[in-house]
Amino acid sequence: MSQTSLNHPGTTTAQQLEEAFAAFNRVSVELDTSYRQLQERVAQLTEELAEARSARLQELAEKERLANRLALLMGALPGGVVVLDPNHHVRDVNPEAAEMLGHPLAGRPWQEVLKRNAAQLDVAQQELLTHQNRRLSMTRRSLPDGAEVVVLLTDITELYALKERVNREQRLSAMGEMAARLAHQIRTPLSSTLLYVSHLARPELETVQRQQVAEKMRDRLRHMEQLVNSMLTFVKGGACEAQPFSAAEMIAALQEMAHQRLQAVGGSLRVATETPAVNLNGNCEALTSALLNLVDNAVDVIGDGAEVTLSTAVDKQSLTISLQDNGPGIDEDILEQVFDPFFTTRVQGTGLGLAVVAATVRGHGGTVEVSNTATGGAEFMIQLPLLEAGQSPEPASIWQREQQLNNNENGKARQSL
């Protein structure tokens, strides 16, 4: 204890009290300041909390509004929507999908749902024909997270029926056009034949004249027979039982048959390359006749001095036969039409010769193209599939391939609609 405090205890206590009051007042001011600051902070936080709560409520309200709108849109969609979980079980469907597929759906495996509804399922085309004869198109998309898959179902029953009707109308129209062209082709020789018959009925006709008229009648009748036979060949596409044969056998037969026809006009058939030792499958006679049609076409167009050059080439899968002539070539404007039935630029032409060639080659699984050479003549390129080693001939395969091609063409027409 200090000397001063021992000597003047009352004075020291008063100072201490003053100091204590001063300290108390200072602390009180500091506490008051801190309290006000704390109140301000609490008010600020309360305001921020209220704003955050309000924003959160608005966000929830917006999400609820969007969810309701999405539900309305899903319900109003004309197509079915199915959501699959990662295990490909149905997680959610809209009313249209439920109406298309029937219940139960929720939680069921997707494959089970398809099997339950499918009278016919085309996996490649992603089409489902239900037992109620509804044809559904299915489109699948994975969600961005990759965990779920959305399947969109579209009812294409009416569209499919419409395509079928259009295809049927097109086939009937094509048949009608072909029948009209055939009738037009037959009408001219038929009229001539009837005229010759009326001549034969004349009693004053000399024997020689009667024979001449009879010969003309025979020519007209042969022309009509040729038209009918060509038409049958075109329709059948060279249909007959397929047999293996060698390319050399076919080329040799062509040379023999073409020789006489070309010799009559002072022309020739030149074989420019050695025929490959390969085998084909089909009808040798029909293919030889098709090649002979090309030679006849050259003779008809060129006439005297017709020269035809034949060359062959082979790769691993096909034999290519080229026939070039020394004629004037084919007008570029009609190149794409020369294989159409009844298309001809010659007065006496039937318009079926090249159509038969195309049908026969197509019936053997091959292709035929035509172009003009740099020297001015026409060139026909025929490509035929080879008979692979160990492959067995398939009876009636030619007709089946032709039918398959027709079916494929019809399918493409349906897809384009």
Side-chain angles (χ1 to χ4, degrees):
M1 181 179 294
S2 67
Q3 187 66 34
T4 305
S5 62
L6 290 175
N7 296 332
H8 307 283
T11 303
T12 302
T13 301
Q15 289 178 346
Q16 290 176 342
L17 286 175
E18 289 176 359
E19 291 174 359
F21 276 119
F24 176 77
N25 290 333
R26 186 171 60 251
V27 171
S28 295
V29 172
E30 291 176 353
L31 286 175
D32 185 61
T33 302
S34 297
Y35 179 71
R36 285 197 297 271
Q37 291 177 346
L38 183 59
Q39 281 186 317
E40 292 174 356
R41 182 59 180 164
V42 169
Q44 181 182 359
L45 290 176
T46 301
E47 184 178 355
E48 291 178 355
L49 181 61
E51 292 177 355
R53 184 171 180 274
S54 176
R56 178 62 177 167
L57 289 175
Q58 289 181 0
E59 182 181 352
L60 291 175
E62 181 66 15
K63 287 184 177 179
E64 184 177 359
R65 189 186 68 80
L66 291 176
N68 291 335
R69 181 171 176 75
L70 181 60
L72 288 174
L73 291 175
M74 293 282 284
L77 275 177
V81 178
V82 180
V83 180
L84 305 179
D85 65 15
N87 296 319
H88 280 208
H89 286 62
V90 177
R91 171 167 289 176
D92 199 4
V93 297
N94 71 339
E96 187 69 15
E99 193 273 332
M100 289 177 175
L101 302 174
H103 292 286
L105 290 173
R108 309 305 303 174
W110 179 235
Q111 291 300 323
E112 176 190 306
V113 174
L114 290 179
K115 185 177 180 181
R116 186 181 69 205
N117 285 276
Q120 181 180 342
L121 178 62
D122 188 336
V123 178
Q125 298 294 329
Q126 288 291 292
E127 288 186 3
L128 169 69
L129 178 64
T130 69
H131 295 295
Q132 292 75 35
N133 288 325
R134 294 183 71 174
R135 191 171 291 273
L136 306 178
S137 171
M138 299 181 292
T139 306
R140 300 165 63 98
R141 290 288 185 276
S142 297
L143 293 180
D145 60 4
E148 294 180 323
V149 175
V150 176
V151 182
L152 177 63
L153 302 173
T154 306
D155 192 338
I156 58 172
T157 306
E158 293 185 4
L159 179 61
Y160 187 83
L162 177 61
K163 290 178 180 177
E164 286 294 304
R165 286 198 296 271
V166 171
N167 288 333
R168 186 166 57 252
E169 293 295 332
Q170 287 178 337
R171 288 195 294 271
L172 291 174
S173 175
M175 290 176 60
E177 182 181 0
M178 185 170 293
R181 289 183 179 184
L182 180 61
H184 177 74
Q185 292 290 327
I186 289 180
R187 184 173 56 184
T188 300
L190 182 60
S191 298
S192 300
T193 304
L194 292 173
L195 181 61
Y196 293 141
V197 168
S198 65
H199 286 326
L200 283 177
R202 294 168 56 187
E204 71 276 12
L205 207 62
E206 299 290 339
T207 302
V208 176
Q209 292 175 318
R210 193 179 301 280
Q211 290 176 347
Q212 291 174 345
V213 172
E215 185 62 30
K216 290 180 180 178
M217 285 181 55
R218 191 178 296 112
D219 289 342
R220 296 296 86 193
L221 290 173
R222 284 173 179 166
H223 183 65
M224 286 190 285
E225 182 185 30
Q226 182 185 356
L227 276 172
V228 173
N229 289 337
S230 297
M231 190 67 193
L232 288 173
T233 305
F234 168 74
V235 172
K236 292 179 180 179
C240 50
E241 184 175 351
Q243 295 289 339
F245 61 93
S246 68
E249 175 187 357
M250 179 177 65
I251 299 301
L254 173 65
Q255 285 181 278
E256 182 179 352
M257 288 190 283
H259 174 71
Q260 186 176 1
R261 304 190 188 196
L262 286 165
Q263 191 179 40
V265 294
S268 65
L269 172 65
R270 185 174 72 89
V271 179
T273 58
E274 185 177 352
T275 304
V278 294
N279 291 327
L280 306 172
N281 186 38
N283 185 276
C284 181
E285 183 179 350
L287 284 173
T288 305
S289 296
L291 293 173
L292 190 61
N293 272 354
L294 298 179
V295 174
D296 285 341
N297 185 71
V299 171
D300 292 337
V301 172
I302 303 170
D304 293 341
E307 299 286 345
V308 179
T309 301
L310 184 148
S311 59
T312 51
V314 67
D315 60 20
K316 293 182 179 178
Q317 297 181 334
S318 62
L319 170 70
T320 301
I321 305 171
S322 166
L323 281 170
Q324 296 183 32
D325 62 44
N326 62 337
I330 302 174
D331 193 333
E332 295 288 341
D333 294 336
I334 63 172
L335 268 179
E336 295 184 356
Q337 299 174 264
V338 296
F339 295 114
D340 291 349
F342 301 108
F343 178 81
T344 181
T345 57
R346 291 181 286 110
V347 177
Q348 296 298 325
T350 64
L352 287 171
L354 296 182
V356 168
V357 172
T360 303
V361 173
R362 196 166 57 238
H364 283 77
T367 60
V368 57
E369 298 176 353
V370 61
S371 61
N372 291 317
T373 65
T375 56
E379 179 181 19
F380 290 86
M381 297 278 288
I382 294 177
Q383 198 167 42
L384 296 168
L386 298 178
L387 177 67
E388 298 178 2
Q391 178 184 353
S392 299
E394 301 173 2
S397 59
I398 297 175
W399 178 243
Q400 290 170 353
R401 279 196 290 266
E402 179 70 6
Q403 292 294 94
Q404 183 64 44
L405 284 172
N406 290 335
N407 292 337
N408 292 341
E409 289 174 358
N410 291 336
K412 291 177 181 177
R414 286 196 296 272
Q415 292 174 1
S416 67
L417 290 174

